[in-house]
Amino acid sequence: MPVFSRFTPLISALPASVPFVGPEAIERNRGLRVKARIGANENGFGPAPSVIEAIGAAAAGTWKYADPENFELKQALAAHLGCQAENIAIGEGIDSLLGMIVRMVIEPGMPVVTSFGAYPTFNFHVAGHGGRLVTVPYVDDRENLDGLLEAVRRENAPLVYFANPDNPMGSWWDADSIVTFAKALPETCLMILDEAYCETGPAGATPDIAALIDRPNIIRTRTFSKAYGMAGSRVGYAISTPGTAEAFDKIRNHFGMNRIGVAAALAALKDQAYLGQVIGQIKASRERIAAIATANGLKPLASATNFVAIDCGRDGAHARSIVDGLMEHGVFIRMPGVAPLNRCIRVSTGPESDMALLEEALPKVLKAL
């Protein structure tokens, strides 16, 4: 197949890869229909009715670009978080923000520390900018703070990634441990504290905004994709010192935000009552998933996210056979990508209709193995 001859050596050397295969691709490739979409950590309960109304009202104005300074959304987030608008940068979901952070810090060959098996899209960005991944294994199915700190110091790494609560295992650390870890990092190492699931975590798991807001080497990333139910709108934000947050303006796509998504985010922030309701639904759904797993002889892991990792008791091949078998019944789930985490499957929370399909299909799949 002919390829353009003047791609950079880095691009020429990288494989074409997709960190996540979507359910749409599975439907196309396998000729199956997804009946229960509970594999992508989406919020199947959906956004607030007030958000849907705001989307409809904003649709007529979609011919206009969104405000390139994101002024109104920054002001609203600052009021919600208890910080200044200057502490906030806006991006097209956390994935976009991760790519910009790697671009700001990493040059080819530089070491980047992360957990082995953690969020693969971050690794994708590191590879795309020529960084060298230094990975630290999980311990007891959660990220190893001491190991990450030791790797940063050993490698003199300029960047470390840590998610709390964690994807893909759903585990978490308490706020005091995270603050201690952040303050122990060398000032020359930038920490990405990925808090995509902070709204669904238990009390005491998320540091107060004030605890880290004055540290220029800490960037906290959050999103409207999970608890707020707006994954398709692609609205994320970063929290840091004004100087660090301002650095995003040097490289971001200034017209990257879509106007309808911004309107939806503003409405979602105003409707905290609905957010509280959904968080309760997510918690109940986690318990439902755990009960289904236990009834089938599998071990659900404690989760602070909108999904549950389920230990299938064997190896990755066995877990993969369960994932594939469930898809034959129209139930889309995923699994972590690397051993030993890949002994697990991962089921997203969702409405009772999806849980009923899982409950019906799982024993049939296990019996057939």
Side-chain angles (χ1 to χ4, degrees):
M1 181 182 298
V3 178
F4 179 63
S5 62
R6 296 193 67 178
F7 285 135
T8 67
L10 173 61
I11 294 300
S12 298
L14 288 173
S17 61
V18 179
F20 297 104
V21 177
E24 297 86 357
I26 295 172
E27 288 181 321
R28 289 192 298 270
N29 296 336
R30 295 180 59 178
L32 299 170
R33 182 172 71 87
V34 171
K35 301 175 184 177
R37 184 174 170 131
I38 48 174
N41 302 355
E42 297 156 328
N43 182 350
F45 300 108
S50 59
V51 171
I52 300 298
E53 183 179 351
I55 289 172
T62 197
W63 62 273
K64 294 180 282 188
Y65 291 113
D67 173 13
E69 296 181 17
N70 298 300
F71 178 85
E72 189 176 2
L73 184 53
K74 285 184 179 181
Q75 293 292 327
L77 281 166
H80 175 68
L81 297 169
C83 64
Q84 301 299 311
E86 292 75 19
N87 292 111
I88 297 170
I90 306 295
E92 303 96 312
I94 286 179
D95 289 355
S96 175
L97 293 166
L98 293 178
M100 285 189 278
I101 295 168
V102 174
R103 181 181 173 190
M104 286 190 286
V105 176
I106 297 304
E107 296 178 358
M110 285 185 172
V112 178
V113 173
T114 186
S115 298
F116 183 63
Y119 191 43
T121 298
F122 175 71
N123 302 349
F124 181 83
H125 286 305
V126 172
H129 289 282
R132 174 173 60 88
L133 281 171
V134 178
T135 57
V136 176
Y138 282 60
V139 174
D140 296 329
D141 293 327
R142 67 176 180 170
E143 296 191 82
N144 179 1
L145 287 175
D146 290 340
L148 290 168
L149 182 59
E150 191 279 328
V152 166
R153 290 171 172 168
R154 182 185 70 243
E155 300 284 339
N156 189 25
L159 185 62
V160 60
Y161 173 87
F162 172 71
N164 192 66
D166 174 67
N167 179 5
M169 303 309 287
S171 54
W172 69 97
W173 285 87
D174 63 272
D176 289 344
S177 297
I178 296 166
V179 172
T180 298
F181 172 80
K183 291 182 176 180
L185 287 170
E187 293 182 357
T188 53
C189 179
L190 181 67
M191 174 187 180
I192 300 172
L193 177 56
D194 187 339
E195 296 178 320
Y197 303 94
C198 63
E199 289 91 357
T200 60
T206 302
D208 293 338
I209 292 297
L212 297 170
I213 198 68
D214 63 344
R215 305 190 75 83
N217 67 323
I218 308 296
I219 297 179
R220 302 168 75 164
T221 56
R222 296 187 180 183
T223 184
F224 286 85
S225 295
K226 307 302 181 184
Y228 287 103
M230 292 170 41
S233 292
R234 311 311 302 136
V235 183
Y237 57 100
I239 311 162
S240 190
T241 61
T244 297
E246 187 181 24
F248 286 92
D249 287 338
K250 299 180 180 182
I251 59 170
R252 69 181 175 90
N253 181 350
H254 289 260
F255 289 108
M257 301 303 299
N258 77 84
R259 192 177 189 89
I260 295 174
V262 171
L266 288 167
L269 279 176
K270 292 177 181 177
D271 202 337
Q272 292 298 302
Y274 181 84
L275 177 65
Q277 174 187 324
V278 166
I279 290 171
Q281 291 176 300
I282 289 171
K283 182 177 184 296
S285 185
R286 287 199 306 244
E287 294 170 354
R288 180 89 160 90
I289 294 167
I292 293 170
T294 301
N296 285 277
L298 307 178
K299 180 184 177 183
L301 305 185
S303 174
T305 64
N306 69 338
F307 61 86
V308 177
I310 300 171
D311 190 339
C312 298
R314 289 166 57 181
D315 58 9
H318 177 65
R320 171 54 61 189
S321 67
I322 295 174
V323 171
D324 291 342
L326 284 172
M327 188 60 224
E328 291 293 329
H329 293 269
V331 179
F332 165 67
I333 67 168
R334 282 193 175 130
M335 58 185 283
V338 301
L341 308 182
N342 67 353
R343 73 187 191 283
C344 296
I345 57 176
R346 195 189 67 198
V347 181
S348 303
T349 57
E352 174 55 30
S353 57
D354 289 351
M355 297 300 104
L357 287 170
L358 174 67
E359 186 174 41
E360 178 185 358
L362 183 56
K364 294 178 182 177
V365 170
L366 293 174
K367 184 178 180 180
L369 295 180

